[in-house]
Amino acid sequence: MIAPPTTVDGFVTEFLLNLAQDRGVTLQDSTVDDRYLALVRTVRGHLAARRLETERAPRERKTICYLSAEYLLGRQLDNSLLATGLEDIAAEALAACGVDLDELRAHEIEPGLGNGGLGRLAACFVDSMATLGVSSIGYGIRYEYGIFRQSFENGQQVEHPDAWMRGGSPWEFPRPERARIIRFGGAEDGWAVRAVPYDFVVPGYRSGAGILRLWSAEALEPLDLPAFNAGDYERAVRAKTFAENLSKVLYPDDSSPQGKELRLQQQYFFAAASVGDVVDDLLAGGGTLDDLPERAIFQLNDTHPVIAVPELMRLLIDEHDLGWDTAWAITQRCFAYTCHTLLPEALEVWPVDLLRRLLPRHLDIIYRINEEFLLTVRERLGEERVAAMSIIAESPVRAVRMAHLATIAGVKVNGVAELHSQLLRDAVLPDFAEFFPQKFTNVTNGVTPRRFLRLANPALSALITEAIGDGWVTDLERLRELEPFAEDAAFRDAFAQVKAGNKKRLNDVLRVRDRTEIDEEHLLDVMVKRLHEYKRQLLRLLHVVDTYEGVVSGRVAASALQPRAVLFGAKAAPGYVMAKRIIHLINAVAGVVNDDARLEGRLRVLYPANYDVTLAERVIPAADLSEQISQAGKEASGTGNMKFALNGALTIGTDDGANVEIRQLVGDENFFLFGMTEPEVAALAPAYRPGESVDAGARRALDLIASGAFSGGDRSVFEPIVTNLLTEDRYMVLADYRAHADAQARVDAAYADPDAWTRAAVLNVARCGYFSSDRAIRDYQERVWG
Ligand SMILES: *Cc1c(COP(=O)(O)O)cnc(C)c1O
């Protein structure tokens, strides 16, 4: 094998060669783009070598085939340099060439092939599998346009297409020889597209590699030449346009299913291509179909890929001539299902009519799976349970419940945090938990320490390594060894300086990116995540408005405020009207509050547009306070909460998702808990009348908003928000208002003692090693993959 350069000189040679051969320029004539692409080429050579090495290793182990419609990867350059151990060599080599590495870093566009937490989790998992040396392949869709780029016009969200591939997609390896044909429709009205895979190498930290194989849709015949020759140019390319639409754009929805035909087409497109790819590989390697369960498991990241279940059945029966029982016995051992939600409206269902038109054979297979399953239900639990457990819902229209299909077919079903897994058993799928008690398990989510600590927070990483060595990068529980340092005044000082430095680093980007900055002396209070009513950005905002009102009405002296910068970052699904209104309100409040001299600059609201992984990596290490304030019982896990705690922010949070586990680990005294618990929410829900006993602070905030104070006197603009809270308030913002405000007062009091605050922050870091995605992957190996 060609050994890639591992010396500075070798790296320089390779880089210049790539500039000349790939870009056709000399260093003197090169643009930033040329230099960036030549650097990627150089690093990619190492990834390719790493991958060949991994592939040559004996392959008798089971391969984890992770099926996910989303991968929110973030930038690749730094992670690739870190994983290959080339950080210093590349930096020196580029410096020797007079090239600014930071400029090239900033030039990279992150592939935003996901919406938020679910897609980011998939990216963390492929990183951890590669690092742990788990034989793995991630399958997904190579969306030409990822999650939209957000900007604000007059405070309102505007969506722009995310052309992440403009200027090429230099990290990928196209694999046209592995292309497959995917067929839709029935025998008479069928049509087909070609699925072409592009591989990203997922480098493990210092060793190992996995593959992320993303499918792109192409027409079988790119051009209808007779139509073209006849002058009908539109018809000539119609098939091409039609086919390419399949992988054209990511659905920008989070926590709500889309229900659109194109979405189902996307799901089947990538599920069928992936299952076919795995089966072909098995057979090509001399395996038999009976071996499949020993050689591969398909981990279903939510219900989006569940159509892979009937697809495997179809493949085994129609194309490989197995009998139903044999095929079902194999299929039942090849899938496992991760549920990501608690919102009943977020459970995917597909109308039977749509499936009959698009995938008639699969509908037949689903019906038969259901028939046989319901026979046993009838026998064991009785007729009265049949309707609730059927894969087919009868109203409002006949539809296939994908979560039921996944649960019946899967070896295991897991939730993503302890509380979530419990609610999954008790509330979301209780009949199934009774029927298949051994299937249900929990794997609490995690995040990769490489990206979210080692890369995002270089100064803290260096401080930790100085204290306890660098073993934590692949064994995050070693952070425990930091605990004694919480009592070490010199360490606390150094830790506080790291935080201060990270605020400067954040300002370096905010100034360029958003022409704004935080006051580096302020407590940095951060709420970054998708905009959704259940996450309750409004709860945070009402308290900001209440604080503002207190000062301008003269009830509170500005000098009495703990100076704070409250930073929001969030995209809203383009069709989610209320979420977009909330974005508008946050920006409107920011405009008024930041301009009002009466606050003496002691309260600032910032809302940098386009929250993405790149921004997350700057914001999170700088944060003092992490807002995790969803209504209890609504956030399945959260992973943002973990990133913040690992970077030494204290959490103000409800007893929801993985907040529960964070609090148990860091200790009540190092966490600002508030609000109703899930059982309290459930108990209050039937009789909740939000308008009847509104807290005085919340009332003042609502009145000020309703008065038009943030909309130039126009009372109509935000009236729907106020009315909704007072009459419906589905996520009980008002019921938790006082508890939240009191907890914020506790935050202020705690921050007034910087040394004690830092001690708590150090303990958060030291005690959150559990939230590594490496640990999560080990849990999957033990509890799910066998
Ligand atoms: C981690 C992450 C999320 C998930 O955040 P939650 O607070 O868990 O919802 C969403 N978007 C980006 C860019 C992230 O990095």
Side-chain angles (χ1 to χ4, degrees):
M1 190 176 65
I2 327 119
T6 47
T7 63
V8 173
D9 285 350
F11 200 97
V12 169
T13 308
E14 183 98 345
F15 172 69
L16 295 176
L17 200 69
N18 281 325
L19 258 186
Q21 293 187 341
D22 239 54
R23 308 300 303 160
V25 295
T26 62
L27 184 56
Q28 287 69 34
D29 302 331
S30 64
T31 62
V32 181
D33 201 43
D34 293 326
R35 294 191 290 275
Y36 167 72
L37 290 170
L39 174 60
V40 173
R41 276 277 149 180
T42 309
V43 178
R44 208 183 74 141
H46 290 256
L47 302 184
R50 173 81 68 83
R51 176 170 153 209
L52 281 175
E53 219 171 87
T54 308
E55 277 200 339
R56 269 210 251 98
R59 269 274 192 142
E60 63 275 352
R61 285 170 307 156
K62 194 187 274 191
T63 297
I64 310 310
C65 307
Y66 198 78
L67 300 189
S68 178
E70 301 188 11
Y71 291 88
L72 190 51
L73 294 172
R75 286 177 174 166
Q76 298 298 295
L77 177 58
D78 267 341
N79 188 54
S80 301
L81 289 174
L82 175 69
T84 50
L86 285 169
E87 280 179 307
D88 296 342
I89 289 170
E92 273 185 57
L94 292 175
C97 297
V99 173
D100 181 355
L101 178 53
D102 280 339
E103 187 183 26
L104 303 190
R105 283 193 175 105
H107 191 68
E108 181 168 11
I109 304 172
E110 69 166 81
L113 310 184
N115 274 285
L118 176 146
R120 185 52 238 177
L121 183 77
C124 285
F125 280 1
V126 292
D127 176 277
S128 284
M129 288 192 286
T131 294
L132 293 172
V134 176
S135 173
S136 65
I137 178 163
Y139 283 107
I141 301 174
R142 183 177 179 263
Y143 301 105
E144 192 177 332
Y145 296 93
I147 184 67
F148 62 85
R149 193 166 50 76
Q150 178 194 55
S151 71
F152 298 133
E153 276 174 31
N154 301 318
Q156 290 177 275
Q157 171 172 296
V158 179
E159 301 102 23
H160 310 270
D162 162 55
W164 68 280
M165 285 197 258
R166 74 172 178 270
S169 174
W171 294 101
E172 304 172 321
F173 294 85
R175 304 295 303 275
E177 79 285 2
R178 301 190 68 110
R180 325 184 55 81
I181 294 182
I182 306 298
R183 299 180 190 285
F184 293 88
E188 272 90 65
D189 57 350
W191 51 281
V193 299
R194 180 178 290 111
V196 183
Y198 290 73
D199 287 357
F200 281 78
V201 176
V202 181
Y205 178 76
R206 299 291 143 89
S207 75
I211 299 169
L212 178 56
R213 183 161 291 161
L214 303 181
W215 299 97
S216 184
E218 289 183 6
L220 301 186
E221 292 293 343
L223 187 67
D224 180 344
L225 204 52
F228 184 87
N229 289 337
D232 190 345
Y233 305 123
E234 208 188 313
R235 188 158 65 85
V237 296
R238 195 175 295 153
K240 177 175 156 69
T241 310
F242 184 73
E244 288 176 356
N245 271 343
L246 269 185
S247 55
K248 183 67 75 184
V249 46
L250 168 77
Y251 276 93
D253 269 289
D254 192 60
S255 297
S256 60
Q258 244 298 327
K260 293 266 164 60
E261 180 164 353
L262 182 60
R263 174 73 173 166
L264 179 59
Q265 290 173 10
Q266 288 185 335
Q267 294 181 352
Y268 179 65
F269 167 74
F270 99 91
S274 309
V275 169
D277 195 56
V278 170
V279 169
D280 278 5
D281 245 11
L282 172 74
L283 299 178
T288 70
L289 294 169
D290 291 328
D291 300 333
L292 187 62
E294 265 80 58
R295 302 295 295 279
I297 184 146
F298 296 99
Q299 185 68 42
L300 304 166
N301 196 26
D302 219 277
T303 52
H304 315 143
V306 171
I307 196 72
V309 171
E311 171 62 9
L312 180 59
M313 287 296 285
R314 186 197 66 80
L315 207 61
L316 296 178
I317 294 169
D318 296 359
E319 300 199 6
H320 294 281
D321 300 320
L322 298 190
W324 176 274
D325 292 340
T326 314
W328 184 234
I330 293 173
T331 299
Q332 272 189 302
R333 295 171 58 206
C334 287
F335 289 93
Y337 162 51
T338 305
C339 177
H340 280 271
T341 191
L342 280 163
L343 309 176
E345 73 272 22
L347 290 171
E348 264 189 315
V349 293
W350 287 108
V352 161
D353 284 347
L354 174 57
L355 272 164
R356 185 173 291 120
R357 194 151 35 82
L358 205 62
L359 299 166
R361 176 70 178 128
H362 296 77
L363 182 62
D364 287 344
I365 290 170
I366 292 167
Y367 270 129
R368 174 137 180 217
I369 293 172
N370 196 39
E371 227 169 76
E372 299 194 353
F373 171 66
L374 293 181
L375 275 179
T376 58
V377 170
R378 216 168 261 123
E379 213 172 274
R380 279 180 41 200
L381 300 180
E383 181 65 34
E384 66 278 11
R385 304 287 274 279
V386 163
M389 295 182 75
S390 174
I391 298 174
I392 308 297
E394 297 296 337
S395 69
V397 294
R398 288 203 109 196
V400 176
R401 297 156 162 160
M402 302 307 270
H404 289 200
L405 177 55
T407 304
I408 293 162
V411 272
K412 294 282 172 179
V413 177
N414 76 284
V416 289
E418 295 287 352
L419 174 64
H420 175 233
S421 294
Q422 180 211 316
L423 292 170
L424 198 58
R425 284 187 297 255
D426 297 350
V428 183
L429 298 167
D431 301 310
F432 288 92
E434 183 183 340
F435 194 81
F436 300 120
Q438 74 297 343
K439 270 197 196 189
F440 284 75
T441 187
N442 171 252
V443 178
T444 298
N445 283 168
V447 300
T448 169
R450 270 74 63 186
R451 181 175 293 272
F452 287 108
L453 189 50
R454 174 65 180 74
L455 290 171
N457 201 338
L460 182 57
S461 295
L463 183 66
I464 295 171
T465 295
E466 194 187 313
I468 64 169
D470 67 358
W472 60 271
V473 178
T474 49
D475 182 5
L476 204 62
E477 293 278 9
R478 303 258 308 255
L479 290 178
R480 279 274 172 197
E481 295 164 30
L482 283 177
E483 270 202 35
F485 289 89
E487 301 310 322
D488 176 336
F491 186 87
R492 286 198 305 272
D493 277 352
F495 191 98
Q497 275 173 31
V498 164
K499 195 54 92 180
N502 287 339
K503 289 181 181 177
K504 288 198 167 62
R505 264 167 60 82
L506 172 60
N507 270 340
D508 291 343
V509 277
L510 289 182
R511 278 190 211 105
V512 176
R513 189 184 183 279
D514 306 279
R515 296 198 197 86
T516 186
E517 58 190 341
I518 58 161
D519 186 324
E520 289 160 16
E521 302 301 315
H522 282 192
L523 184 166
L524 179 56
D525 171 341
V526 181
M527 185 160 189
V528 288
K529 46 183 75 256
R530 283 298 286 256
L531 202 310
H532 204 293
E533 288 165 282
Y534 86 79
K535 291 179 182 277
R536 302 200 296 188
Q537 278 90 356
L538 272 179
L539 180 57
R540 184 69 199 88
L541 191 69
L542 285 187
H543 181 251
V544 167
V545 173
D546 182 15
T547 307
Y548 170 73
E549 195 277 340
V551 173
V552 299
S553 69
R555 279 185 298 107
V556 181
S559 59
L561 297 184
Q562 160 62 50
R564 284 206 202 203
V566 182
L567 187 149
F568 292 90
K571 293 177 183 176
Y576 189 172
V577 176
M578 183 56 86
K580 292 176 110 171
R581 240 184 233 124
I582 294 169
I583 288 179
H584 189 192
L585 178 59
I586 297 171
N587 278 318
V589 168
V592 169
V593 167
N594 295 346
D595 262 4
D596 196 318
R598 289 172 289 183
L599 284 152
E600 299 169 13
R602 295 169 79 88
L603 177 61
R604 298 250 308 147
V605 181
L606 293 95
Y607 193 168
N610 201 45
Y611 176 59
D612 59 5
V613 177
T614 304
L615 183 60
E617 289 173 22
R618 279 298 167 115
V619 166
I620 292 168
D624 296 303
L625 186 67
S626 161
E627 300 274 350
Q628 308 298 338
I629 59 178
S630 51
Q631 185 190 28
K634 290 295 180 289
E635 188 75 87
S637 160
T639 49
N641 47 4
M642 302 169 185
K643 300 168 197 166
F644 280 99
L646 277 168
N647 281 277
L650 306 199
T651 304
I652 179 169
T654 46
D655 232 353
D656 201 15
N659 294 356
V660 176
E661 289 153 80
I662 292 175
R663 181 172 59 84
Q664 283 164 356
L665 281 163
V666 306
D668 282 348
E669 65 285 10
N670 302 307
F671 187 108
F672 300 97
L673 173 69
F674 75 93
M676 291 184 286
T677 61
E678 188 279 328
E680 287 167 349
V681 166
L684 177 59
Y688 185 47
R689 305 277 176 277
E692 280 177 12
S693 54
V694 182
D695 171 81
R699 171 67 70 189
R700 286 192 291 264
L702 289 171
D703 286 349
L704 196 61
I705 295 167
S707 76
F710 305 105
S711 38
D714 184 340
R715 294 158 164 270
S716 67
V717 183
F718 300 122
E719 179 275 333
I721 294 179
V722 174
T723 301
N724 184 277
L725 284 178
L726 288 172
T727 58
E728 190 182 346
D729 191 16
R730 183 151 168 228
Y731 299 104
M732 300 185 177
V733 168
L734 297 182
D736 268 344
Y737 183 84
R738 183 40 41 202
H740 174 254
D742 290 346
Q744 293 290 3
R746 284 188 273 135
V747 168
D748 283 340
Y751 200 74
D753 182 350
D755 207 37
W757 181 279
T758 300
R759 179 183 292 112
V762 173
L763 289 174
N764 265 261
V765 178
R767 295 174 179 173
C768 281
Y770 177 75
F771 298 106
S772 169
S773 46
D774 300 343
R775 187 272 314 151
I777 290 300
R778 287 204 190 87
D779 284 351
Y780 275 99
Q781 287 183 296
E782 209 169 279
R783 299 173 196 174
V784 178
W785 301 332

